[in-house]
Structures are given as structure tokens and as C-alpha cells.
Amino acid sequence: MPEPLTTDPIAEARRQWEEHGWHDAAGGMAAVTAIMRTQQILLSRIEGVLKHFGLTFARYELLTLLSFTRSGALPMAKASARLQVHPTSVTNAVDRLERAGLVRRMGHPTDGRTTLVEITAEGRQTVLSATTELNAAVFTDPGFTPNELDELNTMLGRYRRGAGDFIDHEATPGA
Amino acid sequence: MPEPLTTDPIAEARRQWEEHGWHDAAGGMAAVTAIMRTQQILLSRIEGVLKHFGLTFARYELLTLLSFTRSGALPMAKASARLQVHPTSVTNAVDRLERAGLVRRMGHPTDGRTTLVEITAEGRQTVLSATTELNAAVFTDPGFTPNELDELNTMLGRYRRGAGDFIDHEATPGA
DNA sequence: TATTGTTATACTCTATAACTATA
DNA sequence: TATAGTTATAGAGTATAACAATA
């Protein structure tokens, strides 16, 4: 990685936006770019931890989802919908996880078309260890104050709902 | 894309975190996951616009950076540092942009090692059109209130500085 | 005819290592 | 010896299209 910058590149971009007269868009541009960059930093921290377990964030999320299920199994399409990723991404993730022995493919008992993904005992063990380390290394102190976390959860929850990410009754994620 | 969810998957994950006794990490997990997801939504909106210009977000950012330079040119390493991406990513982006006629590679006048990237007239035209459309379609109304934008800029600016993203004197990006 | 999932293909960005050329 | 950049290679996620099997 390169040397540290001596000035905030996003603040600098915002200044340029203002100079070009794009006042209405400057704040939005800065916030959107900041979200992009923050995601990058967080993802890099997370994947640094998950690497120890041979997992990527996408595969970790799939394992976590399965581990929270009563039966430990889910149809591929359900996993795709819940994780909000493309079906081929699930196929790919399951391929890798299956090769690692963390999940297993099974036929559906009544619908011959659907494939069930089931987490294995080893998968449960792995996701538990990974979560423990992730919680300690990132989630317990992600770099925001408790107050900021509440604001983020409220604000982004509202944003995601507005973007059609989910149809919710009225529950507010924050607090 | 799959059918819309009837419940917020992040709120659901948070509930599971609480149930497992991971109270200290639940809020951080939810906020971090929300940032990830929000980034995905925003990026998809942005790339939907940039597609009309044959650009990706990474290439758009490079073009924008060059267009804000006095001379319209920058050494590869400088671009890498400013955009906070890997040198090979810059090489790749410049390859594509050069093939599209939007930038041009030039030798450095005094240092034979460095390559300068210069934006072409067509590149300037393209980045201006793209910015106009991006501002209208996304940045002017990104889905957050002006107040929320300020909070995001302040909060994420502080976060990025804390993460060592840049060494700033004291300037606060928000407001 | 519609749905589920896989395969093939392709295109991102990212990262490491090996290499050339220059300072 | 250190720096700048390219190349080769590999891996990740994402996406479209074609296809098989089943409902």
C-alpha cells in the first residue's frame, strides 16, 4: 500500500465539486464516497480475520445464515434471497464450502428441483470460532461510538427500506 | 434478482446475535453489515449511470482526479496513492481508458522511471457528461436528508481519519 | 409453461511475485 | 540499493445466457 495521504481526498473532491458550482450534489457525493471508502476499510479488517479460517465474507455470511436455521439447511434460492446475492454467487460459495467440508448439498425431500445446503458439524465449529474472533476484533469496537452505531443503524435501515431492500412492517433496526 | 424480503435481514441477524449472548458486538455487527449493504446499493445505482459512458466507478474516479489537476496529468504512483488503490489497479484502469481514448500515457520529462497519465479532450468531455448525469441521478438526492448527509460526512470522516486513511491537520469534512 | 439450479463464459477489482528500467 | 511501472498469474464477486431437470 502507498504512503499515507496528508489530506482527506474526499474533502478535497468536495471542494472541487463546490468550485465547479455543483453545490446541490457536493454533500451527497462526499457522503456516498465516504460510505464506499468506509466499506472498503471494514471489509479489509473483516477479511483479515476470516482469512485465518479459510473464509471470505460472502462464505462466512452463508455459514452464519445456515447456522441460524432450525434444521441447519436451506434451499439455494432461499439463501440467495436472504443474502441478497446472485444465484450463481451462491452456487460458487457452496462449491467452495462443500470442498472444505463446511456444508453439504442434499436433495429436497418433496421438490426434485431444489437443492438444500446443510451446514456440517465442522461448519458449525468453524463459524462459531470465526464469529468469536470477529466479534472481538471488529464488531465489539468497530471504531464508532455507541451513539454513532445507533445513528448508523437507524439511518441506514431507513435508507435500505427506502431503496426497496425489504418490505418491513414498521420495525426500526436502531436502538 | 430475487423477490423482496418481508423482513430486514440485518435486524434479523442482530436478533440472533443478541440471542447468542453477543450483546457487546450486536450493534457493531449490524452497523457494519448495514454499511456493506448500503455501499452495494449505491454502487449499483452509480454503475447503472456510468454504464452509459462505458465507465466503471474506478475508472470514473481516475478520470475525475485527472480532470481536477492543473496539467491534467499525474504520475501513476500519485494516482494510486490518491485513489487509495493498488498500483496494478491503476495500470489496468489506464489500459482500458487509454484504449477508449480517454487518457494517454506520457513519459516524465525528468524522471525516466515514471509514467504520466494525461486526460484527453475526449476524456474531459466524457467525465463532464458522466458527472452531470451522476449528480442528477444520484448525488443530488442520494436518499438521505441534508442533516443525515452532514452526520454521515462527519462520522465517516472521523472514522476514516482514525483508521489511518489520511493524516489531516484538523479539518472536518462535514458541513 | 414456469421454476430451480448448474455450467460456461466473461468482466470487474484485487493481490503477489517476477521482471525491466531508471535513480 | 531503492523506486516506478508492467506483466503474468491467480483469486474474488458479479452477471448473462444456455441448459437440464422437475413442477
Side-chain angles (χ1 to χ4, degrees), chain A residues 112-125:
Chain A
R113 294 171 303 181
T114 104
T115 302
L116 292 176
V117 209
E118 186 186 43
I119 189 171
T120 64
E122 192 186 343
R124 285 190 189 278
Q125 165 63 34

Side-chain angles (χ1 to χ4, degrees), chain A residues 5 37 148 151 158 165, chain B residues 37 148 151 158 165 167:
Chain A
L5 296 167
R37 180 62 190 155
E148 289 175 332
E151 283 188 43
R158 185 161 48 225
D165 225 13
Chain B
R37 179 62 189 155
E148 289 175 332
E151 283 189 42
R158 185 160 48 223
D165 226 13
I167 319 280

Side-chain angles (χ1 to χ4, degrees), chain A residues 120-133:
Chain A
T120 64
E122 192 186 343
R124 285 190 189 278
Q125 165 63 34
T126 297
V127 77
L128 186 59
S129 302
T131 298
T132 301
E133 198 164 320

Side-chain angles (χ1 to χ4, degrees), chain A residues 1-17 20 22 24-43 45-46 57 60-61 64 67-69 77-78 80-87 128 131-132 135-136 138-144 147-161 163-169 171 173-175, chain B residues 1-17 20 22 24-43 45-46 57 60-61 64 67-69 77-78 80-87 128 131-132 135-136 138-144 147-161 163-169 171 173-175:
Chain A
M1 299 289 177
E3 72 255 23
L5 296 167
T6 70
T7 183
D8 180 359
I10 295 180
E12 175 59 23
R14 183 179 187 149
R15 220 166 288 131
Q16 295 279 3
W17 243 251
H20 283 75
W22 302 321
D24 291 351
M29 182 282 296
V32 167
T33 308
I35 290 171
M36 302 283 197
R37 180 62 190 155
T38 302
Q39 185 267 352
Q40 229 171 359
I41 296 169
L42 287 169
L43 183 60
R45 288 178 60 189
I46 289 172
F57 189 53
Y60 169 76
E61 282 195 298
T64 305
S67 77
F68 287 161
T69 298
K78 273 278 195 306
S80 170
R82 274 295 303 267
L83 298 174
Q84 309 184 274
V85 299
H86 200 273
L128 186 59
T131 298
T132 301
N135 281 343
V138 183
F139 295 150
T140 296
D141 181 15
F144 298 101
N147 229 322
E148 289 175 332
L149 288 180
D150 280 349
E151 283 188 43
L152 280 173
N153 280 316
T154 302
M155 203 184 298
L156 300 182
R158 185 161 48 225
Y159 175 80
R160 291 184 299 111
R161 182 159 43 242
D165 225 13
F166 56 93
I167 320 278
D168 206 277
H169 332 291
Chain B
M1 300 288 179
E3 74 256 21
L5 297 167
T6 70
T7 183
D8 180 359
I10 295 180
E12 175 59 23
R14 182 179 187 149
R15 222 166 285 131
Q16 294 278 4
W17 242 251
H20 284 75
W22 302 321
D24 291 352
M29 183 282 298
V32 168
T33 308
I35 289 170
M36 302 284 197
R37 179 62 189 155
T38 302
Q39 185 267 352
Q40 229 172 358
I41 296 169
L42 288 169
L43 182 60
R45 287 178 61 189
I46 289 172
F57 189 52
Y60 169 76
E61 283 196 298
T64 305
S67 77
F68 287 160
T69 298
K78 273 279 195 305
S80 170
R82 274 295 304 268
L83 298 173
Q84 308 184 277
V85 299
H86 199 274
L128 185 60
T131 298
T132 302
N135 281 343
V138 181
F139 295 149
T140 296
D141 180 15
F144 298 100
N147 230 322
E148 289 175 332
L149 289 180
D150 280 348
E151 283 189 42
L152 281 173
N153 281 319
T154 303
M155 203 184 298
L156 300 183
R158 185 160 48 223
Y159 175 81
R160 291 184 298 111
R161 181 158 45 241
D165 226 13
F166 56 94
I167 319 280
D168 205 277
H169 334 289

